[in-house]
Amino acid sequence: MEVRDGVVLAIHGGAGTILRERMTPELDREYRTALAGALLAGHQVLAAGGRAEEAVVAAIRPLEDSPLFNAGRGAVLNDDGAVELDASIMLGSSGMAGAVAGVTRVRHPIEAAVRVMTETEHVLLAGPGADRFIAQQGLELAEPEWFVSPHRELQLRQLQAEDVSQVAPEGPGSGHKFGTVGCVALDIAGHLAAGTSTGGMARKAWGRVGDSPVIGAGTWAADETCAVSCTGHGEFFIRKAIAHQIHARMLHGGAGIEEAARGAVLEDLPDGGGSGGCVALDARGRFVAPFTTPGMYRGWIDARGQVTVRIHGDER
Amino acid sequence: MEVRDGVVLAIHGGAGTILRERMTPELDREYRTALAGALLAGHQVLAAGGRAEEAVVAAIRPLEDSPLFNAGRGAVLNDDGAVELDASIMLGSSGMAGAVAGVTRVRHPIEAAVRVMTETEHVLLAGPGADRFIAQQGLELAEPEWFVSPHRELQLRQLQAEDVSQVAPEGPGSGHKFGTVGCVALDIAGHLAAGTSTGGMARKAWGRVGDSPVIGAGTWAADETCAVSCTGHGEFFIRKAIAHQIHARMLHGGAGIEEAARGAVLEDLPDGGGSGGCVALDARGRFVAPFTTPGMYRGWIDARGQVTVRIHGDER
């Protein structure tokens, strides 16, 4: 949990109970390879002089395409067996933001969030209306079957059979209900950006929207403080406005990024009964990734392209 | 804009360009009567020892039923000529919250927000799924025609004819695009609550969601700081997390309610290009209602039932 220096981009792939006994060597390698690939994709953009938000999109896209993570392909299924995808992005330079909630057809929800930000006067579009906007934008769509992976169908059947409403272990073949992917980036101009993408909560009903598309809850970016992407039980992140809380602890409380992120995630969040984690990066390249869970898929990369990937909480 | 003491409940009915030349004496009286009625309805709950959130609902219900305000009946129409209603509620005692976005059939959206808070593990339900939840809850529904008032149909036709995308003057018969109702309350146990309800933006498309159902943007309540309900151009309130920002300026910055609310609404909001206002009440009964617009429908009531109602910015 210590502060890392010189980080230019960091990602998470969800926080939860990641049990070593359920994690085969092959699966462990698949996760680490996917995380490293996303870090390198984002780094490539930054190394070429790209903007922070472009790097965020470049890192999140492969995570959305991977069936390992609860975002895009491989997203959890709602009670009807379909995906409802949420994503958001925010720029530290201008405070501009975009988000979609409950969309069903776009291959890369993070790109839809970008279009809301750049092509409309709005911040958040939801449901069938958001799907119509996406279709008008000509973003790449995918058939419903493309998103559905066998382990998510098994998970849904298990949840429906057991009527489980609690968080279960993370990972394919296990029954985890939550999960998110997210990225924070710092570009050579000194600007920050943050993005988050998720399938939300397994077996969700009634158009439930979690924290990922809620600016201030799951995502925040301000150059003067930090870029944040959160993961965990979303309702608790909304009730505590965790992402904005980290910003506010820095801006109004004078905290550094470590104190602010630890305070919000390790104190405020459990104080409200919540669990999860975040990645947080300031404009000086200082990075922290606090989480309350036994594990969080995470990784970071420095300007030279040095990659670090972690899964369990006890990894140094 | 000075601080009022001894306030137990306050409301707003939207902020904007409220032009005296468009306001007939009859219409002025209708607005003031509706605001006073809502204040008295909320006060009655508090005087009987009811909880803050019960008073918030009691005050918002008649505003939702009034065609004068952009919430419930009289809500603005989307580009298809239908209403899409948003609402939220938050408790200062526990931090529990509930919200709905883009619902179309419930007579009192604020009651739907309460049900999300009390009857689900979720905070935010959106779109057709939220309408299904509402139907299951047995809340009072209304036919689509019930919500539509003649001046909103005229407004929509005008907007569609002119392709207007800017804020226009407030009031029936004029072309205002925004508007919200909201309430903050303090009960005899010393607990705060805040609620907000709106039809959103006139001629909205694509399932646009504004700040009203976003906890931290349009609504916030924490007993240790304040209860806040916002109104204005919602996107800017989301990008600045205005409601949570007021809380954070008090909690982390040590500001009092006046400094915090003025800072967020009169500095942070315009700094991002936004306009609007809020009502903010702390647990000691201190109340402020800053706004950047020429007017804001607003009112407050003290423990003895003394009512004050204001419309224009230059009213003392």
Side-chain angles (χ1 to χ4, degrees):
Chain A
M1 228 314 288
E2 67 273 39
V3 176
R4 312 280 171 169
D5 279 302
V7 172
V8 295
L9 186 137
I11 57 174
H12 67 75
T17 307
I18 304 166
L19 298 174
R20 280 197 168 82
E21 55 268 32
R22 294 211 186 200
M23 184 69 88
T24 64
E26 291 71 27
L27 193 54
D28 181 279
R29 193 169 60 245
E30 283 182 41
Y31 271 111
R32 291 178 198 270
T33 302
L35 292 168
L39 290 167
L40 291 167
H43 182 268
Q44 189 172 22
V45 170
L46 295 175
R51 293 194 301 272
E53 62 271 27
E54 297 170 330
V56 165
V57 172
I60 287 179
R61 278 173 49 107
L63 298 173
E64 288 178 332
D65 279 344
S66 166
L68 295 171
F69 303 100
N70 177 19
R73 190 180 184 201
V76 297
L77 304 180
N78 68 15
D79 209 20
D80 298 324
V83 296
E84 291 176 29
L85 308 169
D86 305 332
S88 67
I89 192 159
M90 187 168 189
L91 312 189
S93 52
S94 62
M96 291 297 288
V100 290
V103 299
T104 62
R105 292 291 308 281
V106 67
R107 178 171 169 183
H108 295 113
I110 192 68
E111 294 184 340
V114 170
R115 291 295 179 95
V116 173
M117 176 176 68
T118 60
E119 305 304 317
T120 81
E121 59 177 332
H122 305 310
V123 172
L124 174 57
L125 303 182
D131 271 336
R132 284 198 302 274
F133 168 74
I134 287 165
Q136 289 173 18
Q137 286 290 310
L139 289 170
E140 185 181 1
L141 304 180
E143 293 303 316
E145 312 83 63
W146 190 85
F147 295 103
V148 178
S149 61
H151 78 276
R152 295 300 188 194
E153 292 188 310
L154 177 64
Q155 174 191 39
L156 178 62
R157 284 198 299 273
Q158 286 174 340
L159 285 170
Q160 288 174 332
E162 299 163 16
D163 208 39
V164 171
S165 65
Q166 292 304 307
V167 188
E170 184 82 14
S174 71
H176 80 294
K177 288 188 65 186
F178 301 107
T180 315
V181 306
C183 178
V184 289
L186 169 64
D187 64 28
I188 55 167
H191 298 310
L192 292 166
T196 309
S197 182
T198 188
M201 179 187 284
R203 218 198 145 184
K204 65 187 173 185
W206 307 317
R208 177 261 186 187
V209 178
D211 64 315
S212 299
V214 176
I215 299 298
T219 302
W220 189 262
D223 283 355
E224 61 193 322
T225 56
C226 60
V228 177
S229 172
C230 297
T231 179
H233 194 145
E235 277 74 8
F236 297 94
F237 285 77
I238 297 176
R239 291 186 197 118
K240 292 283 184 175
I242 291 293
H244 189 261
Q245 175 76 333
I246 297 173
H247 162 81
R249 280 172 168 267
M250 296 178 74
L251 185 66
H252 302 302
I257 192 155
E258 180 178 20
E259 185 190 344
R262 287 181 64 95
V265 171
L266 306 182
E267 294 169 24
D268 299 333
L269 181 65
D271 179 54
S275 64
C278 80
V279 289
L281 179 66
D282 75 14
R284 300 183 346 200
R286 292 186 304 178
F287 168 72
V288 286
F291 49 96
T292 66
T293 44
M296 179 168 80
Y297 299 102
R298 62 204 186 275
W300 54 93
I301 191 164
D302 68 16
R304 294 165 303 134
Q306 179 84 31
V307 168
T308 308
V309 168
R310 297 281 186 267
I311 296 178
H312 306 287
D314 54 9
E315 288 180 62
R316 283 285 139 195
Chain B
M1 227 315 286
E2 68 272 37
V3 176
R4 313 280 172 169
D5 279 303
V7 173
V8 296
L9 186 136
I11 58 175
H12 66 76
T17 307
I18 304 166
L19 297 175
R20 279 197 168 83
E21 55 268 32
R22 294 210 185 202
M23 184 70 87
T24 64
E26 292 71 26
L27 192 55
D28 181 280
R29 193 169 60 245
E30 282 183 41
Y31 272 111
R32 291 178 198 268
T33 303
L35 293 168
L39 290 167
L40 291 168
H43 181 267
Q44 188 172 23
V45 171
L46 295 175
R51 293 195 301 272
E53 63 270 28
E54 295 170 331
V56 165
V57 172
I60 288 179
R61 278 174 50 106
L63 298 173
E64 289 178 332
D65 278 344
S66 166
L68 295 171
F69 304 99
N70 178 18
R73 189 179 184 203
V76 297
L77 303 179
N78 68 17
D79 209 20
D80 298 324
V83 296
E84 293 176 27
L85 308 168
D86 306 332
S88 66
I89 193 160
M90 187 168 188
L91 312 189
S93 52
S94 62
M96 291 298 286
V100 290
V103 300
T104 63
R105 291 292 307 281
V106 67
R107 178 170 170 185
H108 296 113
I110 192 67
E111 294 184 340
V114 170
R115 292 295 179 96
V116 174
M117 175 176 69
T118 59
E119 305 304 317
T120 80
E121 59 177 332
H122 305 309
V123 173
L124 175 57
L125 303 182
D131 271 335
R132 283 198 303 275
F133 167 75
I134 287 166
Q136 290 173 19
Q137 287 290 310
L139 288 169
E140 185 181 2
L141 304 180
E143 294 303 316
E145 312 82 65
W146 191 85
F147 295 103
V148 179
S149 60
H151 77 276
R152 296 303 188 192
E153 290 187 312
L154 176 65
Q155 174 190 42
L156 179 63
R157 283 199 299 274
Q158 286 173 340
L159 285 170
Q160 288 174 333
E162 298 164 15
D163 208 38
V164 172
S165 63
Q166 292 304 307
V167 187
E170 185 81 15
S174 70
H176 79 296
K177 288 188 64 186
F178 302 107
T180 315
V181 307
C183 178
V184 291
L186 170 63
D187 64 27
I188 55 167
H191 298 310
L192 293 166
T196 309
S197 181
T198 188
M201 179 186 284
R203 218 199 145 184
K204 63 187 175 185
W206 307 318
R208 176 261 186 185
V209 177
D211 64 315
S212 299
V214 175
I215 299 298
T219 303
W220 189 263
D223 283 354
E224 62 194 320
T225 56
C226 59
V228 177
S229 173
C230 297
T231 179
H233 194 145
E235 277 73 10
F236 297 94
F237 286 78
I238 298 177
R239 291 186 196 117
K240 292 282 182 176
I242 291 294
H244 189 261
Q245 175 75 333
I246 297 173
H247 162 82
R249 280 172 168 267
M250 296 179 74
L251 186 67
H252 302 302
I257 191 153
E258 180 177 19
E259 185 190 346
R262 286 181 64 96
V265 171
L266 305 183
E267 295 168 23
D268 300 334
L269 183 66
D271 179 55
S275 64
C278 79
V279 289
L281 179 67
D282 75 13
R284 301 188 333 201
R286 292 185 306 179
F287 168 71
V288 286
F291 50 96
T292 66
T293 45
M296 180 168 78
Y297 299 102
R298 61 203 186 277
W300 54 93
I301 191 165
D302 68 14
R304 293 166 302 133
Q306 178 84 34
V307 167
T308 309
V309 167
R310 296 282 186 267
I311 296 180
H312 305 287
D314 54 9
E315 288 180 63
R316 282 284 139 197

